[in-house]
Amino acid sequence: TSLKGSGEMGGRTGTVFRVAATYVGTVVGAGFASGQETLRFFAAYGRVGLWGVVIATLLFCTLGILVLDLGARLGAQSHREILHLACGPKLGAVMDGTITLFLGATLTVMIAGGGAVFAEQFGLARSTGVLFTAVAAALTILFGVRGIMAANSVVVPLLTVGVGALTFGAIHFHSIGGIWERATPHPAFAPVGPWWLAAILYVGYNLVLAISVLGPLGATVQDRRSLWLGGLLGGVSLGVLAGGIQLALSAHLPEIGRAEVPMLFLARLQPGPFQWGYAIILWAEIYTTAISCAYGFVSRLTQVTAIPYRWGVVGSVCVALVGSGWGFSTLLGTLYPLFGFTALSVLIGLGLLPLRRIVT
């Protein structure tokens, strides 16, 4: 069933907010909320890294709107329909399989990450965190896209408040001028040489994962104006959050580069129970990425098999539980670099779609 702009989601404004929150929550995961992605893809390049944030914001806005609109026009049930249009039947089929496998692998990484947060920040058994994250993800996606939208509508504002507080704290203690002085390049933390390529790779990797949710979301909402505004708001929000994190991290370079979770390093500098609060936000962002990847994986799995959706959910989460035993950092360090450059072909295909329409 579609969600009209004036329907049950509380009117167009409510729909725009939910689309934007789902977009942000799908992109923002453990790497973003921990500060590791922003550190490596933007802050590592010093002041010019802010231009990388600008480029990433423009790409997130443009391509996010494009994917949402394609989802509505194609009636997308998964990422398959959009990939075949963007990459062609042959390459699209290869990327379909690659992304499906990576979605399942990322679900495994996020479940392992949930266990790591429980063990390292809350002092609980890692198995408790793994099981809790897996059950929470499974219960949420049983409600489909609606469950994902509802979860992100709660979690994304919490992340915004947390990042805003840490950014304000950094500016308050160091001033913009002080941060600007410390924002020098640290090539050892950078994934590639050129700052602009790092920005493109960052968008490509994150957007390709988001297609699995944004495509079906576009088909569900249908109201084109709400999709465009939601995609625009989501893209701008991602840019603002990345820029805020970069400023906060730059105030503590280079020492913060040695922290496994840079944002928790900043949280420990704040008074009271803020560290615990941000640890909860970090787990919540792991959870939102887990539900997005689980939904994308199960949706595609049930398209090519006769497995009922709910059994696909249960089976996928159980397999991910077993795989999570490899550990969060091992899985993250092995799988993510392999996928970064693979995603570029999809990004290029999406970017060329408007030109192909003009030519043909």
Side-chain angles (χ1 to χ4, degrees), residues 127-282:
S127 57
T128 301
V130 165
L131 186 60
F132 183 78
T133 305
V135 171
L139 291 176
T140 302
I141 66 168
L142 284 174
F143 294 95
V145 173
R146 294 172 186 267
I148 297 173
M149 293 178 75
N152 281 295
S153 296
V154 175
V155 173
V156 169
L158 290 177
L159 175 68
T160 303
V161 171
V163 169
L166 291 178
T167 304
F168 176 79
I171 294 173
H172 177 71
F173 286 109
H174 297 275
S175 78
I176 288 292
I179 293 174
W180 195 252
E181 286 296 321
R182 294 180 67 100
T184 56
H186 295 276
F189 303 139
V192 292
W195 61 270
W196 53 268
L197 179 58
I200 294 173
L201 286 175
Y202 177 74
V203 174
Y205 157 72
N206 281 288
L207 189 74
V208 166
L209 283 181
I211 289 175
S212 297
V213 171
L214 296 184
L217 177 60
T220 302
V221 174
Q222 286 295 321
D223 179 19
R224 291 287 186 71
R225 183 175 176 82
S226 294
L227 290 175
W228 278 60
L229 291 174
L232 179 63
L233 178 59
V236 170
S237 298
L238 286 167
V240 170
L241 287 170
I245 291 176
Q246 180 178 350
L247 288 175
L249 296 179
S250 296
H252 298 276
L253 282 171
E255 61 270 23
I256 201 170
R258 294 185 288 271
E260 186 172 357
V261 185
M263 293 299 280
L264 284 178
F265 176 97
L266 295 180
R268 293 188 187 104
L269 302 178
Q270 303 300 317
F274 194 89
Q275 177 187 344
W276 286 84
Y278 198 82
I280 293 172
I281 292 173
L282 176 59

Side-chain angles (χ1 to χ4, degrees), residues 67-105:
V67 170
L68 286 164
D69 191 66
L70 285 174
R73 291 196 291 109
L74 297 173
Q77 296 181 334
S78 68
H79 54 256
R80 175 183 175 274
E81 294 86 351
I82 294 174
L83 290 178
H84 278 228
L85 181 64
C87 302
K90 293 183 178 179
L91 180 58
V94 173
M95 290 306 302
D96 177 15
T98 302
I99 291 174
T100 300
L101 290 175
F102 192 74
L103 286 168

